Amino acid sequence: MARRALVLRPEPGNARTCAALRAAGVEAVALPLFAVVPCAWEVPDAARFDALLLTSANAVRHAGDRLHALAHLPVVAVGAATAAAARAAGLAVAVTGDGDAARAVALAARYPRLLHLAGRDRVAAPGVEAVTVYASDATALGDDAMAAARDAVVLLHSQRAATLFVAMLGAVPRASVRVVALSNAVAHALGEGWGSVTIAVQPSDAAMVAAAARVAIDP
C-alpha cells in the first residue's frame, strides 16, 4: 500500500513538489507551514562587494525593484533552482552549488566579499554580510493540522520546518511517520523515534521527491 506524502514547504515550491510527487505516482497533500513575504530593505554600497550570494529563489522573488541596483554583481547560487530564478530575473550566475550554502561559498573563493540577500531566519555564513529581503511567517493552522501526518511520508525542506513540525505533531505517534529530510541538519532537528528518517542524496527538491516516492511504497 502506498502512503500519501505531506508537503510542508511554502508556496510556490509546495505546488511544484506536490506536482512532482503526483507525477511519480504518490498522493500528495499540501500543508504549507510558512508563507513567504517581502521585507523592507536598503541597498548597501555595491562597491563593497564582489558578488551576490543567493541561497533561495525567494530572495529573487521578493527583493523587489531594489535588486536592479545590484544586478551588475555576479551571482553565487546555492543550487540549480536558485540559479534559474536569478537568470530569469536578468542576473548573471557565476557559480552554482549543489544545494549546500557552505559549499557554494567555498566554490566562490574568487569572490571574497559576498553580499547575502537572505531570509530573516537563516544560518549565518561566516565572513559573509547579509541583508534581509524576505521572511517566512508561520501559517495559522488548527491544533489538529498534523493529524494528516499519521501513516504518511513527510517532506521537510528546512531545520525550521522540522522544529515547527515536531512542536505541532500533538498526539500523532512519531513511529507512524516516515520522514524525508533535505539534509543531515534537518534530520538532526527532528530528534528520535520516527518510523524512518531518509536523508536526500543531495539537498535538492528533486532528490527529496525521489526519496519520498521510494519510502511511500510499503515493502
Side-chain angles (χ1 to χ4, degrees):
M1 179 182 71
R3 296 185 176 216
R4 67 183 176 278
L6 193 62
V7 182
L8 307 183
R9 69 185 304 202
E11 297 292 2
N14 193 297
R16 291 196 299 270
T17 301
C18 286
L21 286 164
R22 291 169 186 140
V26 178
E27 177 189 356
V29 178
L31 189 63
L33 294 186
F34 306 101
V36 182
V37 296
C39 292
W41 63 290
E42 296 298 326
V43 180
D45 180 6
R48 295 194 293 112
F49 303 101
D50 302 310
L52 297 177
L53 173 64
L54 300 178
T55 54
S56 171
N58 286 319
V60 180
R61 296 188 191 106
H62 296 285
D65 293 341
R66 288 181 173 84
L67 183 61
H68 299 321
L70 301 170
H72 64 286
L73 292 174
V75 168
V76 177
V78 70
T82 302
R87 292 190 185 98
L91 304 178
V93 178
V95 176
T96 302
D98 62 0
D100 181 273
R103 286 199 290 269
V105 171
L107 288 171
R110 66 182 183 275
Y111 301 114
R113 302 179 302 166
L114 292 173
L115 173 62
H116 185 190
L117 300 187
R120 182 187 60 206
D121 301 284
R122 59 182 178 266
V123 177
V128 176
E129 185 172 332
V131 59
T132 299
V133 300
Y134 70 92
S136 298
D137 293 334
T139 305
L141 298 172
D143 293 339
D144 61 347
M146 289 305 134
R150 186 188 293 267
D151 298 323
V153 179
V154 177
L155 284 75
L156 292 170
H157 287 72
S158 70
Q159 291 172 255
R160 189 173 173 221
T163 300
L164 183 56
F165 170 64
V166 170
M168 295 180 63
L169 196 59
V172 177
R174 291 190 177 200
S176 72
V177 182
R178 298 180 183 181
V179 176
V180 173
L182 178 74
S183 65
N184 284 308
V186 174
H188 181 73
L190 287 166
E192 305 294 333
W194 304 96
S196 68
V197 176
T198 301
I199 300 169
V201 294
Q202 60 183 14
S204 70
D205 188 57
M208 290 186 69
V209 168
R214 292 192 298 271
V215 173
I217 307 302
D218 283 334

